[in-house]
Amino acid sequence: MDNEDSAVQDFLEILEEHRKNCERQGKYVEAEIAKNRLEELKLHEENRRREAMRSRQIAERLGVEEAHMLEFQQFNMIWDQKMAEYEAHAEELVEAMKERHAAELRDYQRRLMTKQIRPKFSKDLLNLRKIQETLAKQKDYAEAHKIKLKADALEAWELEKWHSQRQQDLLAKEGKFKHVKQQELVALQKRIQTGREEQKKQRHQDLERLLQRYQNVKAELEAQQNLERVRMEKLVQSGALTGSGPRKQQHKTRGMSRSGTVESVED
């Protein structure tokens, strides 16, 4: 009981004692005034207590709501930061892998280009060169010149074909190398996406637990407040709230009968 409740209760007790004294002294008019004033004060006090309880309960519910909103804001702030950090780290991993792949590709291309591969000429070309040499040794230069021209043309054609085929082989090897690296990048991106989905799932689960805790606290508070209101009404009905008797108790006052005798009349 706070100071205000104590002061009101003291005043009610003083007024009740005054009413009793007036009753004992036969000062019924003053006793009636005291009784009515007591009823007014008790009713006012009961209403004040009800309003105080209602205001306190509203404040308690608002406190729960504010605490929940603060927790919800902190929850979102923490998770937003966590997910932003995850995305930043994932981007760093992807960029690092791309840079590494680019460096590895340049090194692979360099090794392919520096690898010495001599063309393999056809039997026809080799045979023409032998004939050319034989004619030259025989000092048949005119015929050797004709064969040389024919061999040179065939060699040029075979070299062009060889270079074209070698270029195709290099492109095929480079494409295969790039495909392997692309698969490695795709695997990393899949792992990142899996982690991203797990984060979303965990955030949803944590949010469900947070909301469930709020509902539990809210339900518990409502139950406590309902019980408090019931107890308050019981105290009001019993008169215990203000130290008076039960509300529905019948009070007896004295009246004069027509015959001149005193009789009891129920209010």
Side-chain angles (χ1 to χ4, degrees), residues 99-112 173-175 177-178 181:
E99 291 176 3
R100 178 167 58 82
H101 286 175
E104 290 176 351
L105 177 61
R106 289 192 297 269
D107 182 65
Y108 183 71
Q109 290 171 332
R110 184 171 56 254
R111 286 188 283 109
L112 286 178
K173 290 179 180 179
E174 182 178 315
F177 182 88
K178 289 180 178 179
K181 299 304 175 183

Side-chain angles (χ1 to χ4, degrees), residues 155-168:
E155 182 177 330
W157 179 82
E158 289 188 0
L159 281 173
E160 182 180 357
K161 181 180 178 182
W162 178 82
H163 283 300
S164 176
Q165 184 62 46
R166 184 167 186 264
Q167 186 65 26
Q168 291 180 9

Side-chain angles (χ1 to χ4, degrees), residues 19 30-40 253 267:
R19 183 194 63 79
E30 293 183 13
E32 181 68 20
I33 294 173
K35 183 191 74 171
N36 293 337
R37 183 58 177 157
L38 271 170
E39 290 299 325
E40 291 174 2
T253 60
D267 292 336

Side-chain angles (χ1 to χ4, degrees), residues 56-96:
R56 177 172 49 76
Q57 289 185 347
I58 290 174
E60 289 174 350
R61 292 195 295 271
L62 288 176
V64 170
E65 292 289 341
E66 290 174 0
H68 170 66
M69 289 305 300
L70 179 60
E71 186 178 13
F72 182 69
Q73 290 172 359
Q74 292 176 340
F75 172 87
N76 284 329
M77 181 181 66
I78 292 172
W79 266 106
D80 288 346
Q81 181 179 356
K82 183 183 296 186
M83 296 181 79
E85 290 174 354
Y86 179 85
E87 293 299 330
H89 181 60
E91 186 176 355
E92 290 175 359
L93 290 177
V94 171
E95 289 303 316

